[in-house]
Amino acid sequence: MTDDFESMFFNAAYKFGCDKVTAHSYEGAYARHLARYQNVSDLKILEIGVGGEGYASGGASLQMWSEIFPQASVYGLDIFDKSFLNVGKIKTFILDQGDSFALKSFAEEYGPFDIIVDDGSHMRSDVLTSLFNLFVFLKPNGVYVIEDLMTSYWPKYGGSTLARNVLDTPLSWTKNLIDVVHRNDMLSIDERLPQWNIKAVCVYAGIAFIEAGAPRLLTNLPDSPDFLKNQISDDCAMYGNNAKLYEGVNFDFFNTLEKIKSGDI
C-alpha cells in the first residue's frame, strides 16, 4: 500500500512540477504517513504557501493533493491572491501565516483538518506562529507537516548553525515536542510544555511529521513510590546545582514568538 502510494504521489507531484519531489524527494516520507488517508471520506487538507510570486503562478501542491485525494477539500493559504486555482474542491485564501489572529479565525471557520502542511515562508517566526496556533485544529490522529526544516540552520530564515542548540527554531521545537510525547514519563510535571496530544514525531532529511493522538494516560514510570522519590532525589543531587543552565529552553511559545519578533532571541 505504501509503495503504491509513493508511486502515485511521485507521479502526481511530477506532473504538476511540485518541488516536493523535483527538488526534495519527500515522496517516501509522505507515503509512510499519508497512505492511510486514501479511502478517508470528508478529508480536509490545509497547505500553507501556494507557491509562486504574484497572481498567476504556483499551485502545484494543491493540484497534486486534489489528484491524489479527489475526495478531499483542499485549502491553500498565501500572501498573494491565488484565486485562479479555485476549481472543484480547491479553495485559496489570502492570509499571512505570521498573523496569529487570522490563522485562528480561519481555522475556527474551516477546520479541523486531517493534514496540515507548512511549506510557506520558512521564516522561523512564521513557522512557529503557524504551528503554535494551528496544531490544536488537527483532527484526532491528524498529521502536521513542516517542510524544509534545514532552513533552521540558515540565518536568512532566522536560523543558525552555530546557535542551533539555544535558538528557538522550527527544528529545535520539533526536538522539544519529543518531551511532549514523553510528558507522562517525566519525574515531575513541566507546566511549560504545551498540552498537545502527540502520538509521534518523525523527522526525515528536511521534513517533520507530527502526529496527533488521543490523550496518553499511561506512564512508563514503575509503580513504586520509592522509585519516583529516589529518582527525583538523584536528579536533584546530580543536576540541581546547575539548574540555571537549563532555563534557556523556553516552552512558553507565545512569549517565544514575541521575543523572536522583537529581535530579542
Side-chain angles (χ1 to χ4, degrees):
M1 178 178 176
T2 299
D3 290 342
D4 291 343
F5 184 88
E6 182 175 343
S7 296
M8 180 172 61
F9 184 99
F10 180 89
N11 291 335
Y14 191 81
K15 171 183 175 181
F16 294 108
C18 180
D19 69 356
K20 287 174 171 50
V21 302
T22 60
H24 303 302
S25 299
Y26 290 154
E27 61 271 15
Y30 268 112
R32 292 183 185 94
H33 294 274
L34 302 191
R36 59 189 170 94
Y37 287 105
Q38 284 181 268
N39 298 315
V40 174
S41 60
D42 194 29
L43 190 67
K44 287 188 176 183
I45 302 173
L46 169 62
E47 177 139 18
I48 302 166
V50 175
E53 300 290 330
Y55 175 70
S57 61
S61 291
L62 302 187
Q63 293 170 311
M64 177 202 71
W65 293 129
S66 189
E67 178 155 314
I68 295 173
F69 300 111
Q71 80 278 25
S73 296
V74 179
Y75 304 93
L77 306 182
D78 203 279
I79 58 174
F80 295 105
D81 180 359
K82 302 291 183 178
S83 57
F84 75 95
L85 292 165
N86 294 351
V87 178
K89 302 188 76 172
I90 297 176
K91 295 181 181 179
T92 62
F93 301 82
I94 301 174
L95 194 150
D96 183 348
Q97 73 170 122
D99 185 333
S100 296
F101 178 79
L103 287 170
K104 285 191 283 189
S105 296
F106 169 82
E108 286 170 355
E109 181 171 356
Y110 294 98
F113 306 98
D114 297 276
I115 302 164
I116 299 176
V117 179
D118 186 344
D119 190 21
S121 74
H122 307 309
M123 297 299 295
R124 65 171 176 143
S125 61
D126 288 344
V127 177
L128 293 177
T129 298
S130 298
L131 173 64
F132 299 154
N133 285 284
L134 293 179
F135 188 85
V136 294
F137 289 99
L138 274 179
K139 292 181 183 179
N141 299 312
V143 181
Y144 195 104
V145 185
I146 303 176
E147 291 194 11
D148 301 343
L149 274 177
M150 60 281 191
T151 56
S152 291
Y153 296 118
W154 304 340
K156 177 180 178 180
Y157 297 93
S160 172
T161 296
L162 295 177
R164 65 187 182 277
N165 293 324
V166 295
L167 199 64
D168 286 280
T169 66
L171 187 54
S172 67
W173 269 91
T174 300
K175 296 175 184 178
N176 290 342
L177 295 181
I178 296 174
D179 287 332
V180 177
V181 175
H182 294 92
R183 182 194 298 114
N184 292 358
D185 301 319
M186 292 184 173
L187 300 177
S188 59
I189 297 174
D190 191 336
E191 299 293 349
R192 300 170 301 169
L193 287 171
Q195 298 300 304
W196 299 342
N197 297 318
I198 298 179
K199 179 169 60 177
V201 179
C202 302
V203 179
Y204 307 83
I207 189 169
F209 294 79
I210 306 163
E211 298 189 354
R216 179 172 171 243
L217 302 179
L218 299 178
T219 177
N220 290 310
L221 286 169
D223 187 16
S224 166
D226 289 340
F227 176 87
L228 182 61
K229 180 180 177 180
N230 291 337
Q231 289 302 292
I232 292 175
S233 177
D234 289 349
D235 204 18
C236 290
M238 296 171 69
Y239 302 106
N241 291 335
N242 297 316
K244 290 291 183 182
L245 295 177
Y246 317 128
E247 292 180 358
V249 179
N250 186 356
F251 292 107
D252 183 347
F253 37 81
F254 291 108
N255 184 45
T256 293
L257 289 176
E258 291 304 315
K259 288 184 177 181
I260 290 174
K261 292 177 180 178
S262 65
D264 290 343
I265 57 175

